[in-house]
Amino acid sequence: MVEKRLQEKDCEKGYLLDGFPRTLVQAEEFSKIANRINKPIQAVVALEVGIEALEQRITGRRICPKCGAIFHMQSHPPKVEGICDECGGEIIQRKDDTLEQLQVRMEEYEKSTKPVIEFYEKQGLVRHIDASKTQSEVFALVKEALGKVAE
Ligand SMILES: [Zn+2]
């Protein structure tokens, strides 16, 4: 499926995969495909956030189930507590935005994702980005990391 997609016209100049591959098996398989169609991976961007920042992000996150707006109790609170700025709906905390769920996701990361990063690390492809910075700073860092590839 990926192989076919990468050969479509919009991938002529390159491609960007988001959140894939997630396991070592997928990464190894994908490398074979990418090399076969002569579109090898040129860079891997690892967005990295410390555990404390992650805890803050997750426990402070609130969403509006009605319109999908996302808030954060510290960095982006609604103007009126508990009420969505966009639609006036009631904002809630998602059931899986808890420290327990974060722990589950961290274990999943150690087991599945970390070996993927190590796989690309051995090939010298990984660009580590400090994703605890603001959105625009992170964007600039990613652009810089990928700019070297595009040249
Ligand atoms: Zn809303």
Side-chain angles (χ1 to χ4, degrees):
M1 197 184 76
V2 185
E3 178 167 4
K4 206 165 160 247
R5 181 67 187 86
L6 290 183
Q7 295 185 83
E8 283 174 29
K9 202 157 175 31
D10 61 352
C11 292
E12 257 170 26
K13 288 185 181 162
Y15 60 91
L16 192 145
L17 303 169
D18 180 11
F20 174 86
R22 280 199 185 277
T23 67
L24 187 56
V25 174
Q26 284 176 354
E28 288 168 345
E29 279 305 309
F30 183 74
S31 278
K32 281 183 213 157
I33 292 169
N35 289 331
R36 186 165 64 223
I37 63 173
N38 204 23
K39 290 177 190 281
I41 295 173
Q42 292 176 289
V44 172
V45 175
L47 298 173
E48 294 166 345
V49 180
I51 186 74
E52 278 145 43
L54 268 184
E55 283 175 4
Q56 258 192 16
R57 263 187 207 188
I58 284 173
T59 56
R61 183 157 57 201
R62 299 290 184 275
I63 60 153
C64 171
K66 239 169 104 185
C67 76
I70 300 169
F71 299 90
H72 193 280
M73 300 313 281
Q74 281 83 46
S75 60
H76 177 46
K79 291 190 186 87
V80 181
E81 202 188 322
I83 302 297
C84 175
D85 291 350
E86 307 294 329
C87 74
E90 195 180 336
I91 62 171
I92 59 155
Q93 181 169 27
R94 264 183 8 191
K95 274 202 194 77
D96 53 354
D97 279 347
T98 61
L99 292 180
E100 290 72 29
Q101 273 307 312
L102 176 61
Q103 187 60 38
V104 172
R105 279 180 250 170
M106 288 308 291
E107 279 161 23
E108 188 61 32
Y109 171 84
E110 287 289 323
K111 210 174 71 197
S112 305
T113 312
K114 212 171 162 191
V116 175
I117 300 290
E118 284 162 1
F119 172 74
Y120 291 123
E121 196 82 69
K122 281 184 210 138
Q123 303 171 48
L125 295 174
V126 183
R127 313 280 183 269
H128 297 272
I129 306 275
D130 178 2
S132 65
K133 300 183 182 227
T134 68
Q135 219 168 23
S136 58
E137 284 171 322
V138 172
F139 180 72
L141 288 170
V142 171
K143 226 173 123 183
E144 197 197 330
L146 293 179
K148 286 170 194 149
V149 171
E151 275 159 19

